[in-house]
Structure formats: structure tokens, C-alpha cells
């Protein structure tokens, strides 16, 4: 049913996850803007609403959330949260609830529309009532939905399975284990990315013996340590980039410094999806020795797996957890800024929150749309180690642009410790070195350690 009530706002932000609320927080602190926030979920938190129960925060608590109220501040007031313990989905959602209520809506300048879809051009539809409203947006519509986590709703199964075979998604694993009285003989994880690593780590944390876990990996993956997120400005990192003479040498240096990690030291990774996981957690996964490297799974039967490169027999009473990511979409990213829209996208390695804050800072500058886009180029969707290096190179190039722009640099130095910020001359040198490494041919290596 159409409702022709029109409400006026300066900005409409689509998405109430960390990127959308970080952008809103910047506007609220720096401007008198009136803001509408529309989100398809019934509560704040974005894709964390759809995360599996054992998904946990991989960033340092003081680096996650909006800058004026990071999750570390929220945790300091919780009597039931011990320092150093994992921070799981339910705690993260509780943080977002407090953030929305006490820090966003409390300003009196935000109208929140949960469980609501944006139909385009400021028209929104409430899911429960199906009522449609028209919002008048005087400045811009901000799309902050481009950085979703692994989601059951986005998952495209790439395998088939017969009856009498237990195949579940990571979202069903927690409740499935709790409701199953008798343990399985084998737990078979399908997928080498972040969801697969999370699932493997969860099973080990439950006390499942590593010899009962089978991990199907079509490719070996690099994981990014949380210390590499945020502005890529640490002097140590920049010096390492300058020292490397080949791509393989740079990966070896970054792994030795624990910026990057992998579960199998004798296998050269060919996959990088910007999954953030502490190096110590990745190293713990090396205890799983039964790794199947025969390509993607085609089908599952009571006797085992049929894969692209052969078969793998599995015992009766095996639980299969499908963590595969589906086909990789390699579409180019659009520009961030246009005259009436902003598409919030990663412009720094593996840190959507920091990207959202710097994009908001650039939006508040007095530059033209073309100048804003030149200041902040989005990183391509990563799939391979080459994409990691090109993303790091573009991150350094973006950071150089921010450091040499008076207004943006002022914001950067206010919100990030100046002791960590590398001189612009070193940034430029590291950027040129990475560009040279990307242009050189790479020679395959069995072992990059």
C-alpha cells in the first residue's frame, strides 16, 4: 500500500552495519546533517545478523566499530566479558544495539527504518506492512551494503549429494552438534576460505580431535593478520615492501612478520579473499593433517566425495560442512562518488570500517566529484595473491593522496597516532617498488617459506 508521506533528509544511508554506522557517525560529529538509515535487517549490525553462531571478531576491539565508540568501550562496561576472550556474534550484535540506541539515535538527527528495503530514488518499503514511503534526499544516497560477510542467503551450492548423507552449512553447525547425541566419525569441511577456517577452528575448540577432521581445499589461502588492517602506514611494513626484490620474497617477508599466514607451510597459496584471522589462530589449524587437494567437490555419496581430480573415500557417519564460497564474481568496482550517490567500498586493505570513515572525511571536503574519486580509488575484489599485492599498492597510493591533501591529512592525523604514519616520501618509494614487483613475471614456487 503506497504511503505518500514525504520526509526530508540530507543523507540516506542504506545499511546499518559497521560501514553504514561509521559513515553516519562521521556526519553526526562533523556536520548538522539530518540522516535516514534504512536496513533490511530488523536490528543494527548488518551482515553480523546473518553470521554463524561461532563467528567471532578478528580485529582488535579498539579497532572495531565507530571511532567515537569502539567495541572495546562497550566491552569495558560489561561485567560478563573477560579481557582476552573471544568476542562472538551475540556480543557483537549487543554492541550494535547499544551503538544505535545510545550514540546514533540519541543525537535526535537520525531516523532509523529497520526491516526496510530501499526501492531506489529514496522510496522505501517496510517488510512487515509492505507500506511505501518517499524520502526526499537533499544531498546524497549512501550505499553501505557492499562489504557483506559469508551469508547463507548469498551462498550458491556447487555440489550435489545423495540421500542419507549429512550435509549442513556453517550456520547450522552449532545447533546441529548440540542436538546430536552421538559424535561423528569424521567432520569434513568443504572450502578453504574464511568460513572453512572458522569452522575448523570451532571444531578444534570443541575438543574434536584433529585426526577426525578432513579439510577439502581446492586452493591454499593467505589470511591477513588484524595488524595489517587500518591505514597501511606502519614504518615496518613500508620498509619490508622496499626491501623485497620479487613477489615471492615479499610474501616470505610478510609471512615471517606475521602480517600474512597460511595453514600449510609447504603449499604456495593461490587464493586470497581478504579474510582476516590472527596468525596464531591460522597456525593452530596446521594440526589438521588430512587435507584433500583434488579440486572442487562435485558430489557426495554415502561412500565419500567425488571431486574434479578424483575421489576420496569417507567412513559412514561423516558430517559434511559446506563452506564453499560459490563462483567468484570478478566484476570491476564502480567509482565511489557521483553527484547524488556514494558507494562505500574498500579503499584500504581488509578494513571496511576505516574505509567508510575516510570516505566520509573526503565527502566532507570541498573537492569536486572528480577530485574525490581521484583521492579515493576502490580496491578490486580480491581472489588471488596477485590481488593482495595490487590491493596493497593501491592502498599505499590512496594513503599518499590522503597524506598530501591538507584537509584529509588533518583528519587522518587527528584520528590515528602520528607515530605510526610513514613519511610521504617513504610511501611513494614503497608504492613504486610494489608497482615494479607487479609488473615483473612471477615464477611458481612449491614452497614460499
Amino acid at each position: 500500500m503506497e504511503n505518500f508521506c514525504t520526509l526530508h533528509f540530507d543523507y540516506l544511508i542504506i545499511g546499518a552495519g559497521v560501514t553504514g554506522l561509521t559513515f553516519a557517525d562521521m556526519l553526526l560529529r562533523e556536520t548538522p546533517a539530518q540522516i535516514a538509515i534504512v536496513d533490511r535487517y530488523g536490528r543494527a549490525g548488518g551482515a553480523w545478523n546473518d553470521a554463524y553462531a561461532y563467528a567471532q571478531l578478528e580485529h582488535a576491539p579498539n579497532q572495531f566499530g565507530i571511532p567515537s565508540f569502539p567495541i572495546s568501550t562497550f566491552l569495558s562496561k560489561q561485567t560478563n566479558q573477560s579481557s582476552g576472550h573471544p568476542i562472538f556474534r551475540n556480543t557483537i550484535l549487543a554492541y550494535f544495539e547499544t551503538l544505535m540506541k545510545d550514540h546514533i539515535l540519541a543525537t535526535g538527527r537520525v531516523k532509523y527504518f529497520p526491516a526496510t528495503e530501499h526501492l531506489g530514488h529514496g522510496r522505501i518499503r517496510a517488510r512487515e506492512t509492505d507500506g511505501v514511503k518517499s524520502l526526499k534526499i537533499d544531498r546524497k544516497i549512501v550505499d553501505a551494503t557492499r562489504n557483506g560477510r559469508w551469508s547463507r542467503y548469498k551462498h550458491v551450492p556447487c555440489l550435489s549429494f545423495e540421500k542419507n548423507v549429512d550435509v549442513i552449512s556453517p550456520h547450522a553447525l552449532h545447533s546441529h552438534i548440540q542436538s546430536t547425541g552421538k559424535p561423528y566419525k569424521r567432520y569434513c569441511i568443504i572450502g578453504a576460505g574464511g568460513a572453512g577456517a572458522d569452522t575448523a577452528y570451532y571444531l578444534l575448540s570443541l575438543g574434536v580431535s584433529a585426526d577426525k577432521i578432513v579439510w577439502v581445499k581446492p586452493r591454499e589461502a593467505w589470511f591477513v593478520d588484524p595488524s595489517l588492517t587500518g591505514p597501511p602506514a606502519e614504518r615496518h611494513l613500508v620498509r619490508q615492501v622496499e626491501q623485497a626484490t620479487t613477489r615471492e620474497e615479499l610474501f616470505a617477508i610478510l609471512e615471517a612478520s606475521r602480517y600474512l599466514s597460511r595453514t600449510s607451510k609447504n603449499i604456495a597459496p593461490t587464493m586470497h579473499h581478504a579474510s582476516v584471522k590472527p596468525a596464531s589462530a591460522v597456525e593452530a589449524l596446521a594440526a589438521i593433517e588430512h587435507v584433500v587437494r583434488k579440486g572442487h567437490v562435485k558430489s557426495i555419496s554415502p561412500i565419500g566425495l567425488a571431486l574434479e581430480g578424483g575421489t576420496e573415500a569417507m567412513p559412514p557417519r561423516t558430517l559434511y560442512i559446506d563452506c564453499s564460497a560459490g563462483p567468484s564474481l570478478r566484476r570491476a568496482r564502480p567509482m565511489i562518488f557521483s553527484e547524488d550517490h556514494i558507494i562505500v567500498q574498500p579503499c584500504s586493505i581488509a578494513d571496511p570500517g576505516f574505509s567508510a570513515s575516510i570516505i566520509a572525511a573526503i565527502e566532507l571536503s570541498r573537492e569536486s566529484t572528480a577530485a574525490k574519486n581521484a583521492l579515493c580509488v576502490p580496491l578490486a575484489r580480491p581472489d588471488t595473491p596477485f590481488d593482495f599485492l595490487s590491493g596493497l599498492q593501491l592502498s599505499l597510493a590512496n594513503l599518499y593522496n590522503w597524506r598530501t591533501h591538507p584537509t584529509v591529512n588533518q583528519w587522518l592525523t587527528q584520528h590515528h597516532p602520528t607515530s605510526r604514519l610513514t613519511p610521504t616520501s617513504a610511501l611513494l618509494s614503497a608504492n613504486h617498488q610494489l608497482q615494479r614487483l607487479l609488473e615483473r613475471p612471477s615464477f611458481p614456487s612449491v614452497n614460499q617459506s
Side-chain angles (χ1 to χ4, degrees):
M1 180 177 179
E2 188 84 19
N3 180 351
F4 289 100
C5 173
T6 302
L7 302 174
H8 283 257
F9 299 93
D10 295 298
Y11 288 87
L12 166 61
I13 298 175
I14 307 167
V18 68
T19 55
L21 296 186
T22 296
F23 198 99
D25 179 60
M26 277 286 295
L27 294 178
L28 292 170
R29 285 189 291 127
E30 303 292 339
T31 75
Q34 299 287 326
I35 304 169
I37 299 178
V38 174
D39 192 72
R40 69 184 183 92
Y41 294 103
R43 56 182 176 178
W48 279 100
N49 284 288
D50 190 41
Y52 29 89
Y54 52 90
Q56 64 185 63
L57 184 66
E58 304 292 7
H59 292 78
N62 65 340
Q63 294 180 321
F64 181 82
I66 66 172
S68 63
F69 183 65
I71 197 172
S72 57
T73 303
F74 169 78
L75 295 174
S76 68
K77 301 177 182 179
Q78 307 302 305
T79 57
N80 60 344
Q81 182 70 34
S82 301
S83 176
H85 284 206
I87 304 168
F88 291 104
R89 170 182 178 268
N90 286 344
T91 301
I92 295 168
L93 290 175
Y95 159 74
F96 276 110
E97 182 179 3
T98 299
L99 167 59
M100 177 62 81
K101 178 183 176 183
D102 296 344
H103 294 267
I104 302 296
L105 296 180
T107 64
R109 293 192 281 131
V110 176
K111 178 69 174 177
Y112 176 39
F113 299 91
T116 300
E117 296 175 321
H118 180 239
L119 304 178
H121 306 289
R123 295 175 69 252
I124 61 174
R125 178 173 59 206
R127 287 178 143 184
E128 290 187 1
T129 65
D130 216 31
V132 176
K133 287 185 173 69
S134 295
L135 308 182
K136 172 65 175 177
I137 310 304
D138 294 330
R139 291 187 62 83
K140 291 185 179 180
I141 295 174
V142 180
D143 182 354
T145 63
R146 299 295 180 102
N147 296 298
R149 292 169 59 90
W150 194 98
S151 167
R152 75 185 100 181
Y153 300 113
K154 297 178 183 178
H155 178 55
V156 180
C158 297
L159 54 86
S160 62
F161 51 91
E162 299 179 10
K163 294 181 179 179
N164 302 319
V165 174
D166 289 340
V167 181
I168 62 173
S169 76
H171 297 83
L173 179 59
H174 179 72
S175 59
H176 187 83
I177 287 180
Q178 287 186 325
S179 63
T180 303
K182 187 177 179 181
Y184 285 87
K185 289 185 177 180
R186 292 287 185 278
Y187 297 83
C188 181
I189 301 168
I190 301 171
D198 288 345
T199 300
Y201 195 78
Y202 175 63
L203 290 174
L204 291 173
S205 70
L206 291 178
V208 176
S209 174
D211 60 12
K212 288 188 175 182
I213 301 175
V214 179
W215 198 348
V216 179
K217 293 185 180 183
R219 299 186 288 172
E220 186 67 23
W222 282 118
F223 294 92
V224 178
D225 189 81
S227 62
L228 194 58
T229 60
E234 289 196 359
R235 298 170 187 266
H236 185 228
L237 170 63
V238 172
R239 282 198 299 266
Q240 290 182 327
V241 170
E242 291 179 302
Q243 292 170 2
T245 58
T246 66
R247 296 182 210 165
E248 292 75 19
E249 183 181 358
L250 179 55
F251 276 109
I253 292 172
L254 294 176
E255 182 177 25
S257 298
R258 298 168 72 83
Y259 286 124
L260 296 177
S261 58
R262 50 180 163 161
T263 60
S264 300
K265 298 291 187 182
N266 63 334
I267 301 293
T270 57
M271 185 173 91
H272 167 71
H273 285 173
S275 296
V276 177
K277 186 165 284 294
S280 58
V282 177
E283 289 164 0
L285 300 179
I288 301 172
E289 297 181 352
H290 190 169
V291 178
V292 179
R293 303 183 189 277
K294 300 178 182 178
H296 292 90
V297 175
K298 297 171 63 178
S299 63
I300 306 174
S301 72
I303 62 172
L305 302 164
L307 304 102
E308 293 171 322
T311 60
E312 186 76 16
M314 300 294 289
R317 195 159 179 77
T318 293
L319 177 64
Y320 299 91
I321 307 107
D322 180 13
C323 303
S324 58
S328 177
L329 301 177
R330 301 286 287 164
R331 295 190 300 265
R333 291 190 187 273
M335 301 299 280
I336 291 174
F337 296 94
S338 63
E339 293 301 320
D340 54 4
H341 280 76
I342 298 173
I343 302 176
V344 182
Q345 301 169 76
C347 53
S348 186
I349 284 286
D351 198 335
F354 172 74
S355 294
S357 62
I358 196 73
I359 290 170
I362 293 171
E363 161 64 9
L364 299 181
S365 71
R366 297 185 177 182
E367 299 289 353
S368 66
T369 297
K372 289 177 181 178
N373 281 320
L375 271 171
C376 200
V377 180
L379 276 59
R381 290 175 175 84
D383 183 55
T384 68
F386 184 91
D387 297 330
F388 168 79
L389 293 184
S390 61
L392 181 58
Q393 185 267 327
L394 188 50
S395 295
L396 292 174
N398 281 336
L399 182 58
Y400 176 82
N401 290 334
W402 305 333
R403 292 292 312 282
T404 53
H405 187 281
T407 304
V408 180
N409 185 54
Q410 182 180 14
W411 176 88
L412 196 62
T413 53
Q414 283 179 342
H415 292 84
H416 294 275
T418 55
S419 60
R420 291 185 56 196
L421 296 179
T422 305
T424 53
S425 58
L427 285 175
L428 195 60
S429 174
N431 181 39
H432 289 162
Q433 176 63 3
L434 270 173
Q435 189 62 48
R436 287 191 290 269
L437 294 181
L438 288 167
E439 292 170 353
R440 291 179 181 177
S442 181
F443 299 95
S445 173
V446 175
N447 186 348
Q448 290 181 337
S449 62

